[in-house]
């Protein structure tokens, strides 16, 4: 099988010595926890960064008015990929996606205020809300549960929804009817919707024999005029292109009051973007498409392969391949390993993320990172099974 980017031939010894949190925080164990990929970055990115460094000039960039070139490219890419045209004047460079979420929560709500999100939830959201003393309103995940979402929001009256779109850790892909319904619910409750779309390049296409939709991702802000006015969209090239350490993200603020508040801060209050990170995002979004489709092929293979691997090595574990992301949300509650089955997998030599960290129905679950070679995935699951 052709493997031009070396995605299928990862060397376990090299992986184990990879610098960075994923492989170094739990030495001696196979790393399938934090959402970094094991794949080497796209050649388009390494070549661009090498050229920048080789030139030897890392002084102040000559970019003109904000946003950065990556911020501007974000607008073009949203328009060409998803048919949504963000207003360039309302695009802000950030250090990371979580910063954008926290800014919106900090500036638009008060301690004690209820904030809604779908649980299980990306745990830094939960931790942020706890630290900021906000009250967490848990919503169930799934298009078939939208009526429950509507009644919880009507009863709890949150003023802000953090929408993880697509959803980490379940891999749920919000399709148009669910998004339209969410937009109506948001309008009825006058909700600000902070839409974290960091996983939007990692949506799997529906198989051709199933007649569903071909829109792999629909920015929440593009769903209706009302959605556009209440949306704060936050995203980054970091998840799909494996650049998390570079620290660059982008926020588009449709919500007028948040935009006004942001503009009231002095210039540089939120810092300025990093030259290398911006160059990397530009390279990813300009020339990274071939690499990304090769990655999606491996991820697609892995998400299906995991069904058989679990059946063989961990019979009783329940798992449905995610529609998006490279994360597998696995129900291990029938394995008899209690609320934190992560512990037994740790003992056996694999580090996965513990379900309870994600709140909601996380008890008895683990989240497994599938962004690795098929051979390494097999080794990980065999090791989880005690082989
Ligand atoms: C849904 C979601 N949002 C945000 C992040 C983190 O992004 P950043 O490092 O830019 O804050 C992650 C990382 O896995 C994520 O899954």
């Amino acid at each position: 099988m052709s493997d031009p980017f070396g995605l299928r031939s990862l060397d376990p010894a090299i992986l184990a010595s990879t610098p960075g949190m994923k492989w170094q925080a739990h030495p001696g164990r196979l790393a399938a926890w934090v959402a970094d990929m094991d794949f080497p970055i796209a050649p388009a990115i390494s070549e661009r960064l090498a050229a920048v460094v080789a030139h030897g000039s890392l002084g102040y960039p000559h970019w003109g008015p904000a946003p950065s070139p990556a911020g501007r490219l974000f607008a073009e890419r949203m328009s060409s990929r998803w048919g949504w045209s963000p207003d360039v004047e309302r695009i802000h460079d950030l250090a990371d996606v979580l910063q954008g979420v926290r800014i919106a929560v900090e500036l638009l709500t008060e301690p004690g205020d209820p904030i809604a999100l779908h649980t299980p939830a990306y745990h830094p959201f939960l931790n942020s809300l706890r630290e900021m003393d906000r009250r967490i309103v848990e919503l169930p995940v799934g298009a078939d549960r939208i009526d429950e979402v509507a009644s919880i929001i009507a009863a709890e009256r949150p003023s802000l929804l953090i929408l993880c779109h697509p959803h980490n850790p379940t891999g749920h892909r919000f399709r148009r009817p669910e998004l339209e319904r969410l937009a109506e619910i948001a309008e009825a409750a006058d909700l600000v919707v902070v839409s974290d779309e960091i996983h939007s390049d990692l949506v799997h296409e529906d198989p051709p024999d199933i007649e569903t939709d071909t829109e792999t991702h629909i920015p929440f802000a593009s769903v209706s005029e009302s959605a556009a006015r209440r949306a704060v969209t936050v995203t980054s090239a970091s998840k799909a292109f494996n650049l998390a350490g570079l620290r660059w993200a982008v926020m588009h603020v449709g919500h007028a009051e948040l935009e006004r508040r942001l503009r009231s801060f002095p210039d540089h209050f939120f810092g300025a973007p990093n030259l290398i990170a911006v160059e990397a995002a530009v390279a990813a979004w300009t020339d990274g498409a071939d690499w990304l489709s090769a990655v999606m092929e491996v991820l697609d293979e892995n998400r299906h392969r995991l069904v058989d691997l679990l059946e063989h090595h961990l019979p009783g574990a329940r798992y449905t391949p995610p529609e998006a992301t490279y994360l597998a949300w696995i129900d291990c509650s029938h394995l008899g390993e209690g609320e934190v089955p992560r512990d037994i997998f740790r003992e056996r030599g694999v580090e996965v993320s513990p379900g309870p960290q994600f709140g909601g129905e996380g008890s008895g679950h683990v989240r497994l990172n599938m962004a690795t070679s098929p051979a390494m995935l097999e080794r990980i699951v065999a090791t989880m099974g005690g082989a």
Side-chain angles (χ1 to χ4, degrees):
M1 192 176 291
S2 107
D3 184 24
F5 302 107
L7 310 176
R8 295 172 180 279
S9 51
L10 304 175
D11 179 334
I14 294 180
L15 279 184
S17 64
T18 306
M21 183 195 273
K22 186 179 183 188
W23 283 90
Q24 299 314 317
H26 304 281
R29 288 199 277 275
L30 300 174
W33 62 295
V34 68
D36 270 331
M37 298 183 185
D38 285 340
F39 307 130
I41 56 170
I45 300 173
S46 38
E47 283 158 22
R48 183 143 184 159
L49 297 192
V52 170
V53 173
H55 192 277
S57 169
L58 295 176
Y60 295 115
H62 181 56
W63 285 338
S68 72
R72 287 175 187 272
L73 191 55
F74 155 77
E76 283 172 32
R77 195 165 183 266
M78 288 301 106
S79 161
S80 60
R81 265 192 91 115
W82 319 122
W84 170 50
S85 304
D87 177 353
V88 175
E89 302 280 310
R90 289 181 169 216
I91 292 175
H92 303 264
D93 290 280
L94 298 173
D96 56 52
V97 164
L98 202 57
Q99 181 190 21
V101 175
R102 282 201 176 211
I103 287 173
V105 171
E106 176 67 29
L107 297 184
L108 295 177
T109 69
E110 299 288 331
D113 282 357
I115 310 278
L117 82 179
H118 294 85
T119 55
Y122 174 57
H123 51 98
F125 293 158
L126 297 173
N127 297 341
S128 293
L129 294 176
R130 288 184 194 119
E131 271 174 41
M132 297 167 91
D133 207 15
R134 301 318 194 249
R135 184 162 70 77
I136 295 168
V137 175
E138 301 192 30
L139 307 174
V141 180
D144 56 339
R145 308 207 48 193
I146 190 78
D147 290 336
E148 283 170 68
V149 166
S151 24
I152 294 170
I153 288 178
E156 301 286 340
R157 308 297 304 171
S159 56
L160 189 145
L161 162 70
I162 301 174
L163 182 66
C164 188
H165 169 35
H167 188 256
N168 172 4
T170 64
H172 175 64
R173 163 180 166 193
F174 294 84
R175 294 169 193 258
R176 191 170 288 279
E178 185 179 5
L179 288 171
E180 284 176 352
R181 196 59 211 293
L182 266 179
E184 285 164 18
I185 294 168
E187 171 149 28
D190 197 18
L191 273 180
V192 181
V193 179
V194 179
S195 188
D196 173 347
E197 304 188 4
I198 195 170
H199 291 277
S200 57
D201 276 340
L202 296 168
V203 178
H204 294 285
E205 285 173 21
D206 289 320
D209 54 323
I210 297 184
E211 207 185 301
T212 51
D213 51 73
T214 52
E215 302 173 294
T216 52
H217 179 70
I218 301 161
F220 178 77
S222 72
V223 166
S224 66
E225 294 217 342
S226 159
R229 280 195 306 276
R230 55 189 68 259
V232 178
T233 306
V234 197
T235 192
S236 170
S238 65
K239 210 54 35 187
F241 291 91
N242 211 22
L243 305 171
L246 289 184
R247 319 313 290 148
W248 178 81
V250 63
M251 172 163 72
H252 178 267
V253 184
H255 189 265
E257 173 60 11
L258 180 59
E259 181 64 11
R260 194 190 63 73
R261 293 289 307 276
L262 278 172
R263 297 272 167 213
S264 72
F265 284 85
D267 201 21
H268 280 262
F269 186 89
F270 296 105
N274 171 321
L275 166 66
I276 294 283
V278 167
E279 290 283 352
V282 168
W285 285 343
T286 312
D287 296 315
D290 289 354
W291 180 90
L292 183 58
S293 30
V295 164
M296 288 307 288
E297 250 179 56
V298 176
L299 298 182
D300 190 38
E301 183 179 323
N302 281 356
R303 76 183 171 130
H304 291 300
R305 185 76 210 293
L306 186 58
V307 174
D308 298 335
L309 290 173
L310 289 172
E311 208 171 281
H312 187 72
H313 296 285
L314 282 171
R318 293 182 185 170
Y319 155 80
T320 307
E323 300 174 284
T325 80
Y326 49 74
L327 306 165
W329 183 240
I330 307 173
D331 179 357
C332 300
S333 47
H334 295 272
L335 299 182
E337 296 298 340
E339 291 187 5
V340 194
R342 183 272 314 263
D343 294 346
I344 182 72
F345 300 138
R346 258 191 174 170
E347 273 173 38
R348 292 176 182 167
V350 177
E351 189 69 23
V352 290
S353 302
Q357 186 174 64
F358 301 87
E361 293 149 11
S363 173
H365 288 65
V366 296
R367 192 192 73 175
L368 182 145
N369 180 339
M370 296 183 280
T372 192
S373 64
M376 183 49 107
L377 181 68
E378 183 161 351
R379 185 163 160 197
I380 285 169
V381 183
T383 309
M384 287 169 75

